[in-house]
């Protein structure tokens, strides 16, 4: 998928001045540069988000919200950022905890009742578990702050003082949370504990989708495979949205037609695309396969993951999300399905 800057028509948009149009172009470029600058730590920050959230989609949402907040915070900072990864982890943690507070489903309290516990001498339950399995245990078994502490200490090896700074608490409170979290995981490993519904993060989705949702997805995939842009557009609400996650949003039929759909399926596209519908983590999704036009003998690879949010009460698309610039999502979804895939960086250009 490719997308132009669109500066020719943007300046004439209703209610927008030339100065605002030019500023938006400058801001988009600054955001792209910002995303590229964070690429060296992005995978680790995503892994941290994934350890806190129940699904790959929630992890990507948390990562995107973290990056948006980080860009805003960076624009207001004069002092240097000493540790970029720790800075992003702090923003991600606060964003995640805020979402839990809003859900009113958990109590977020610190305690320093275990100040005398050693921080490094305790047995690490993660040593006896595969990391992926351990993260799943963390998701279901640990309260939010304990979960964050154990992930930061036992998965990412952060020192106590830095964890305390990230979580805005004291080393003693971190030590206490580690003790409780490790004990819970140890009990889980020996079969003496089970998941508590009260500790589940918001966003857990049911594994069953309505048949009309599945039919809509298949109609959209069929339109993709037919390269029928009119048919694609007709499947959207008049006010529907198409979002290239982290990079571009389009609202309404005309923006969607002239934006991502034409850039992907129009005659000037450099790739040949094919779409297939798959079931992943409780929902149906579309995978976009790609082959270069100038390399007909090359193998197809998955280059994009698409999710549809259907409109309420009508078989139309309210929102389509393209995860083209989400390398971790591509790796987890396509890799999890055992399919060949390619990643595309984190931004246009």
């Amino acid at each position: 998928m490719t997308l132009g800057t669109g500066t020719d028509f943007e300046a004439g948009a209703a209610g927008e001045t030339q100065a605002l149009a030019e500023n938006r172009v400058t801001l988009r470029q600054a955001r792209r540069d910002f995303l590229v600058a964070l690429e060296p730590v992005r995978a680790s920050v995503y892994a941290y988000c994934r350890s806190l959230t129940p699904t790959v989609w929630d992890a990507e949402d948390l990562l995107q919200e973290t990056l948006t907040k980080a860009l805003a915070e960076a624009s207001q900072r004069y002092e240097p950022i000493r540790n970029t990864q720790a800075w992003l982890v702090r923003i991600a943690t606060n964003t995640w905890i805020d979402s839990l507070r809003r859900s009113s489903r958990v109590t977020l309290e610190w305690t320093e009742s275990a100040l005398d516990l050693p921080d490094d001498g305790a047995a690490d339950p993660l040593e006896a578990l595969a990391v992926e399995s351990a993260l799943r245990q963390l998701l279901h078994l640990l309260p939010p702050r304990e979960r964050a502490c154990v992930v930061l200490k036992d998965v990412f090896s952060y020192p106590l003082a830095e964890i305390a700074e990230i979580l805005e608490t004291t080393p003693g409170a971190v030590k206490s949370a580690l003790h409780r979290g490790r004990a819970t995981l140890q009990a889980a490993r020996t079969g003496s504990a089970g998941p508590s519904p009260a500790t589940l993060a918001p966003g857990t989705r049911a594994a069953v989708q309505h048949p009309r949702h599945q039919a809509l997805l298949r109609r959209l995939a069929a339109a993709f495979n037919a390269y029928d842009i009119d048919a694609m557009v007709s499947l959207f609400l008049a006010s529907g949205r198409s979002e290239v996650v982290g990079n571009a949003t389009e609202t309404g039929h005309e923006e969607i037609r002239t934006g991502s759909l034409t850039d992907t399926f129009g005659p000037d596209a450099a790739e040949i695309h094919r779409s297939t519908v798959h079931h992943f983590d409780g929902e149906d999704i579309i995978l976009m396969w790609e082959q270069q036009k100038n390399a007909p003998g090359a193998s197809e690879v998955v280059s994009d993951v698409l999710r549809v949010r259907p409109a309420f009460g009508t078989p139309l698309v309210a929102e389509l999300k393209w995860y083209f610039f989400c390398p971790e999502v591509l790796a987890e979804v396509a890799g999890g399905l055992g399919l060949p895939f390619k990643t595309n960086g984190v931004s246009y250009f």
Side-chain angles (χ1 to χ4, degrees), residues 28-41:
R28 279 205 308 275
Q29 185 60 55
R31 188 176 189 279
R32 292 177 188 130
D33 294 342
F34 183 74
L35 292 175
V36 170
L38 294 180
E39 271 196 277
V41 299

Side-chain angles (χ1 to χ4, degrees), residues 37-38 41 45 81-91 158:
L38 294 180
V41 299
V45 177
I81 298 168
R82 298 191 309 273
N83 184 326
T84 304
Q85 180 175 303
W87 173 61
L88 291 172
V89 164
R90 175 182 60 78
I91 296 173
Y158 275 78

Side-chain angles (χ1 to χ4, degrees), residues 95-262:
T95 300
W96 174 64
I97 288 176
D98 284 346
S99 73
L100 296 180
R101 283 198 183 100
R102 288 193 296 269
S103 75
S104 300
R105 293 175 58 182
V106 291
T107 302
L108 301 169
E109 300 289 346
W110 285 110
T111 175
E112 299 201 19
S113 59
L115 288 175
D116 58 338
L117 291 172
D119 57 279
D120 293 316
D124 182 356
L126 300 188
E127 291 178 357
L129 295 168
V131 170
E132 190 68 20
S133 173
L135 296 184
R136 297 296 175 265
Q137 293 282 354
L138 288 170
L139 170 65
H140 293 294
L141 299 178
L142 300 184
R145 294 197 187 277
E146 291 176 18
R147 192 183 315 170
C149 286
V150 175
V151 170
L152 289 170
K153 180 64 177 173
D154 293 340
V155 178
F156 292 94
S157 301
Y158 275 78
L160 279 178
E162 197 160 0
I163 297 173
E165 183 177 349
I166 289 171
L167 299 180
E168 298 176 331
T169 187
T170 65
V174 171
K175 196 180 295 187
S176 177
L178 276 172
H179 173 66
R180 294 192 304 274
R182 285 166 166 167
T184 300
L185 286 180
Q186 187 63 39
R189 194 184 72 170
T190 58
S192 58
S196 168
T199 66
L200 288 175
T204 304
R205 297 178 174 85
V208 179
Q209 288 181 309
H210 197 285
R212 281 182 292 187
H213 182 204
Q214 299 169 344
L216 176 61
L217 222 65
R218 283 165 172 75
R219 289 169 62 199
L220 185 60
F224 287 159
N225 289 333
Y227 274 63
D228 188 341
I229 293 178
D230 288 339
M232 300 174 204
V233 173
S234 72
L235 292 173
F236 283 83
L237 281 175
S239 59
R241 284 166 42 91
S242 176
E243 177 185 359
V244 182
V245 175
N247 278 265
T249 56
E250 303 148 357
T251 302
H253 284 184
E254 188 59 25
E255 286 187 18
I256 292 170
R257 176 193 300 277
T258 59
S260 54
L261 294 184
T262 294

Side-chain angles (χ1 to χ4, degrees), residues 264-281:
T264 304
F265 299 101
D268 295 329
E271 305 86 16
I272 300 170
H273 292 101
R274 180 175 66 88
S275 301
T276 54
V277 177
H278 297 260
H279 197 70
F280 180 82
D281 198 23

